[in-house]
Amino acid sequence: MLQPKKNAFLIVFLLLLCTWSGAQRIATLQVQLPAGGNSLSIPVEANLDAITFLPDTVLQLVEVIQNKRVPVPYQLSSSGHRMLHWIIAPGKTSARVFELVKGAQVLPPAGVQLQDASGSITISSRNNNLLRYNYATVYPPQGIDTVYKRSGFIHPLWSPRGQELTRTNAPDHYHHWGLWNPWTQVLFEKDTVDF
């Protein structure tokens, strides 16, 4: 039985039509969105154990759009039952058809990418950088005391249009490194230190 996510603010009428015919198709899931619901992203869940006992690794969810099958990303959770979760993306129609098929999960191109360079991870979306997390030690400018070296901070943080929003090592604040978290209550050798 399909159920809309409990925290969704719209009521979604769902109908599960299991079909056991067809080479790879396991089930057809029909979703009828309420009036105006086709302009929203709506989270949906289904009890996977009520549909199939096949292992998660051999399942793929696709949306049927004009006889084309478009892969749909999904997640699985297990709290008593295996639950299949996905988001119905905005579309032109309020009647949507999904198929659960036997086959390795194929995901559409990722919206977010991670690039691990030596000492930092850059997170980007659609070829636009979002932020860089520096996990290796970074030193202050030459001639400044190395006591100000740091790791574990975000710099740069970029705006949606690519402008850098963070700064490191202002001339009067060499201890500031982009976005960082100061440790104000550290217990070290039975003494509390405020960094």
Side-chain angles (χ1 to χ4, degrees), residues 2 19 22 34 45 60-61 65-66 72 75-76 87 93 108-109 111 114-115 127 131 141-142 147 152 159 177-178 191:
L2 288 175
T19 56
E45 63 185 13
Q60 180 183 13
L61 183 66
I65 303 173
Q66 297 176 353
V72 176
Q75 290 183 308
L76 295 173
I87 295 180
T93 63
L114 300 176
Q115 182 179 10
N127 296 323
L131 66 89
Q142 189 141 355
V147 72
S159 74
W177 290 88
D191 192 17

Side-chain angles (χ1 to χ4, degrees), residues 1-194:
M1 171 183 249
L2 288 175
Q3 300 172 341
K5 273 293 231 195
K6 288 182 173 70
N7 62 355
F9 61 95
L10 293 176
I11 298 173
V12 181
F13 300 99
L14 306 173
L15 175 64
L16 169 65
L17 300 173
C18 290
T19 56
W20 300 101
S21 60
Q24 299 293 318
R25 185 175 39 205
I26 298 166
T28 299
L29 312 171
Q30 291 187 344
V31 180
Q32 180 64 45
L33 302 175
N38 58 326
S39 64
L40 302 170
S41 296
I42 299 176
V44 181
E45 63 185 13
N47 182 343
L48 191 57
D49 288 337
I51 300 170
T52 183
F53 290 111
L54 286 172
D56 311 337
T57 56
V58 299
L59 298 176
Q60 180 183 13
L61 183 66
V62 296
E63 183 172 9
V64 181
I65 303 173
Q66 297 176 353
N67 294 325
K68 293 182 183 177
R69 279 153 178 76
V70 179
V72 176
Y74 66 86
Q75 290 183 308
L76 295 173
S77 67
S78 180
S79 56
H81 299 286
R82 289 184 310 158
M83 297 300 289
L84 177 71
H85 305 270
W86 75 97
I87 295 180
I88 298 178
K92 295 180 180 176
T93 63
S94 59
R96 309 291 282 275
V97 178
F98 299 88
E99 291 181 349
L100 188 62
V101 297
K102 185 176 179 182
Q105 184 178 10
V106 177
L107 297 177
V112 175
Q113 297 87 35
L114 300 176
Q115 182 179 10
D116 190 352
S118 59
S120 67
I121 297 173
T122 301
I123 301 174
S124 58
S125 177
R126 296 182 184 98
N127 296 323
N128 294 322
N129 289 338
L130 302 174
L131 66 89
R132 179 171 297 134
Y133 176 72
N134 297 276
Y135 60 84
T137 302
V138 179
Y139 288 85
Q142 189 141 355
I144 303 303
D145 193 338
T146 59
V147 72
Y148 296 117
K149 66 184 177 188
R150 292 288 179 265
S151 64
F153 62 93
I154 294 172
H155 175 74
L157 172 68
W158 289 278
S159 74
R161 293 192 177 175
Q163 178 185 8
E164 279 190 24
L165 301 175
T166 55
R167 178 179 177 184
T168 61
N169 303 127
D172 58 342
H173 286 78
Y174 288 108
H175 60 288
H176 285 192
W177 290 88
L179 294 177
W180 54 284
N181 187 21
W183 299 92
T184 59
Q185 297 288 324
V186 177
L187 183 62
F188 179 72
E189 294 182 355
K190 299 180 182 180
D191 192 17
T192 302
V193 181
D194 182 353

